[in-house]
Amino acid sequence: MPGSGTGKPGKGKTPKPPKTTPATPGSGTGKPGKGKTPKPPSKGKAPRHRRYTWKKNPVRKAGSLLKSGFVKTRRGTRRTWKTITSRKFRRRLHKAWTPFRAVYRGTRKHGGKLAANVMRVGGRWILATHTFLGTIRLSTKGPNWLRPLSRVLHWATSPLAMVVNISRRWTWLSTWIYATATARPITKPVTTKTPPTPTAGTGTPAPAPSPAGHATVPSPATAPTGGPTVGDTSPVHHAYPLIYAADAIRAAGAAFAAAPADSMKGYEAVIETLGHLDFAMCHLMHTIAQVTEEDFKVDPAIPDHFRSIGIQFLMLGGFVDSAHKVFRDLHAAQLENLENPTWQGRKWDISANWAHIMPAYSWRDPASHTLPLLLASGAIRDAGVHIRLHPSGTMFGYEETIRQLAPLAEALYGLMETVASVTETEFAVHPAIPAMHRDAGQRFRDLAGSIETVHLMYLALHQEQILNLLHPTYQGAKWDIGRNTTP
């Protein structure tokens, strides 16, 4: 019979009809014409953020494959170890390694913080000792063996101090040191029985958050100028630019304490600008050294010491800049949300959930909070320019100029302490950030003592000339150059 079946022709067998799949309404998985209804078009969805498309990133895909390979290798190793060893042998080995395991856990728990504190405090003491030895080697006080010994020790500690200065500019090392040294034990959050329900302006109002108080900062005052000395009715007018610069630094600290930044971008701009003050101080110290060599006949050790202090300010500026990099490393996730915002993530904002008690107002330009610091940095640079263009005409004026350098460094110490205290009370940041600022402030105080030592060195090296100026005589005045040279 004609047909397309599987039976042989002529045997009277009829072919079997082909099987068909009945259409299933709503399945949506078959193609048109195959007995299944087509898949209805899906609704449009909002595009996802680029960080959710990690599967398309080849680097992350390679990392995922590497991690899965590592897990499989570890499982195979464990299985092989259990196959070739007995349970009794593994029990004895575990018991023998118990003391070593206890030592490792104790070191991991407490040794890291101890090592971080040793590196933090030890580096600060090394720099302070190196600066002190550099001052003693140029002094004329003390026994005769003290100066050669201090020169040798200063030369011996120079490589170590250089290593400390360079390492303090490494972001990864500073992050580990201060994050570990300032780590606090994790405490369980205290939960109340009836927490307030946040609303967007309706419903039961929540209690207003109490303002966090910070350390009181005194108003800017004029730096101590000292009384006029005999022989010059007003030597302090040569140091007015330095006094104004110190007042500008104090005003910057008072402005930051009275009106802290109202956003984290503003706070980041402030700590990013702090390094400008150190670089301005470095430029000022080199200017003082150059003016001392060109316009005043003093011992060559004095300008050399000013230059070494300027280098220390330059290194300190690198350390203050590294605090900003550590801030970005420790708060990378929060900064990523701020720099790449999404509408979904915006709903987690505290200002959006507590809008009835916490307005979402902030300055449009975060750099506006850095204006007092920029003015202070400009005042320091202007002081150096004024001293270079208009050097003092008398030695009394020069002495007053170098005397006002130490209060300038002390004002920087006060500024760093203010920034650290306000950071702790007004900003939710890692404790490593204010700790780094406090260490920088202590370094400013050390350099202030070194500058004061240079002033004492000037008084000791030129003691006879200063006594002649303080107690003038008519006979001694005949040795003046102006009386013995023709104009």
Side-chain angles (χ1 to χ4, degrees):
M1 290 181 66
S4 59
T6 57
K8 297 180 181 180
K11 295 296 183 177
K13 294 183 180 180
T14 57
K16 295 180 180 180
K19 294 182 180 181
T20 59
T21 303
T24 305
S27 61
T29 58
K31 298 181 180 179
K34 295 293 185 177
K36 296 183 180 180
T37 58
K39 183 179 179 181
S42 60
K43 298 181 180 180
K45 295 183 179 180
R48 288 187 173 184
H49 194 265
R50 59 179 177 85
R51 65 178 178 178
Y52 293 108
T53 60
W54 60 273
K55 293 183 179 180
K56 297 182 180 180
N57 192 340
V59 178
R60 294 190 177 183
K61 184 180 293 185
S64 178
L65 294 176
L66 183 63
K67 183 178 180 180
S68 61
F70 174 75
V71 171
K72 293 179 180 179
T73 304
R74 185 174 58 181
R75 290 177 181 175
T77 305
R78 288 181 177 177
R79 191 178 297 110
T80 306
W81 172 255
K82 290 183 178 180
T83 302
I84 64 177
T85 58
S86 62
R87 181 178 298 179
K88 186 176 181 180
F89 174 77
R90 291 195 299 270
R91 190 182 298 114
R92 290 181 177 179
L93 185 63
H94 183 272
K95 187 176 181 180
W97 275 95
T98 300
F100 299 98
R101 191 165 50 254
V103 172
Y104 169 74
R105 290 176 179 176
T107 305
R108 185 179 180 182
K109 184 177 180 180
H110 305 287
K113 188 170 185 178
L114 178 61
N117 280 288
V118 168
M119 294 180 66
R120 176 189 175 187
V121 180
R124 194 166 60 193
W125 277 100
I126 288 173
L127 293 178
T129 304
H130 181 70
T131 304
F132 177 74
L133 291 174
T135 303
I136 295 297
R137 67 189 175 95
L138 302 175
S139 176
T140 57
K141 301 296 183 180
N144 295 331
W145 55 266
L146 182 60
R147 289 187 296 276
L149 179 62
S150 61
R151 289 192 184 97
V152 174
L153 294 178
H154 182 267
W155 172 81
T157 56
S158 294
L160 188 58
M162 184 179 299
V163 170
V164 172
N165 279 321
I166 295 175
S167 63
R168 294 179 80 178
R169 304 178 67 177
W170 294 343
T171 306
W172 62 271
L173 184 59
S174 298
T175 302
W176 178 82
I177 290 176
Y178 285 91
T180 307
T182 59
R184 298 174 181 175
I186 301 177
T187 57
K188 296 183 178 179
V190 180
T191 57
T192 58
K193 296 182 178 180
T194 57
T197 304
T199 60
T202 59
T204 306
S210 59
H214 47 74
T216 305
V217 179
S219 59
T222 305
T225 58
T229 56
V230 181
D232 194 343
T233 56
S234 181
V236 71
H237 73 275
H238 300 287
Y240 278 159
L242 298 175
I243 299 175
Y244 294 153
D247 281 340
I249 295 173
R250 298 188 187 96
F256 184 70
D262 45 15
S263 64
M264 294 310 298
K265 297 300 291 184
Y267 174 74
E268 182 183 4
V270 169
I271 63 176
E272 188 178 6
T273 314
L274 290 174
H276 291 266
L277 299 172
D278 299 88
F279 300 135
M281 286 296 298
C282 173
H283 186 268
L284 175 63
M285 289 299 160
H286 283 278
T287 301
I288 294 292
Q290 182 180 359
V291 171
T292 300
E293 288 180 340
E294 296 177 355
D295 294 287
F296 299 97
K297 188 178 180 180
V298 297
D299 194 277
I302 295 176
D304 291 343
H305 202 69
F306 276 130
R307 283 195 177 89
S308 64
I309 294 176
I311 295 175
Q312 296 295 326
F313 274 112
L314 181 63
M315 296 294 181
L316 185 56
F319 175 69
V320 174
D321 282 344
S322 67
H324 172 240
K325 299 177 183 178
V326 171
F327 167 76
R328 292 196 64 87
D329 286 348
L330 295 177
H331 298 278
Q334 294 101 319
L335 292 175
E336 174 68 19
N337 293 332
L338 297 180
E339 294 171 355
N340 298 297
T342 60
W343 286 106
Q344 296 83 355
R346 192 183 294 269
K347 297 178 182 179
W348 284 102
D349 290 349
I350 297 178
S351 302
N353 291 273
W354 300 86
H356 60 291
I357 59 173
M358 188 176 299
Y361 170 77
S362 63
W363 287 93
R364 185 175 298 273
D365 186 9
S368 59
H369 300 284
T370 65
L371 184 59
L373 295 176
L374 295 177
L375 292 176
S377 176
I380 297 175
R381 294 182 181 275
D382 291 344
V385 172
H386 185 275
I387 292 173
R388 185 174 67 250
L389 296 180
H390 306 284
S392 174
T394 62
M395 296 306 298
F396 284 118
Y398 173 76
E399 179 184 353
E400 193 64 31
T401 299
I402 63 176
R403 180 186 297 175
Q404 294 301 329
L405 293 174
L408 195 62
E410 284 288 342
L412 290 173
Y413 161 75
L415 173 64
M416 301 305 294
E417 284 290 330
T418 301
V419 170
S421 61
V422 174
T423 298
E424 290 177 342
T425 57
E426 297 289 340
F427 301 96
V429 298
H430 197 278
I433 310 302
M436 294 186 70
H437 289 154
R438 280 202 168 88
D439 284 356
Q442 292 295 331
R443 186 63 183 148
F444 276 123
R445 173 160 283 187
D446 295 340
L447 293 177
S450 182
I451 294 173
E452 185 66 27
T453 305
V454 177
H455 177 225
L456 298 178
M457 184 194 310
Y458 164 78
L459 297 179
L461 294 176
H462 301 278
Q463 183 177 5
E464 184 178 354
Q465 294 97 318
I466 294 175
L467 287 177
N468 291 333
L469 296 178
L470 292 175
H471 306 284
T473 60
Y474 180 74
Q475 295 81 0
K478 296 181 179 180
W479 285 100
D480 291 349
I481 297 177
R483 287 174 175 263
N484 293 276
T485 58
T486 57

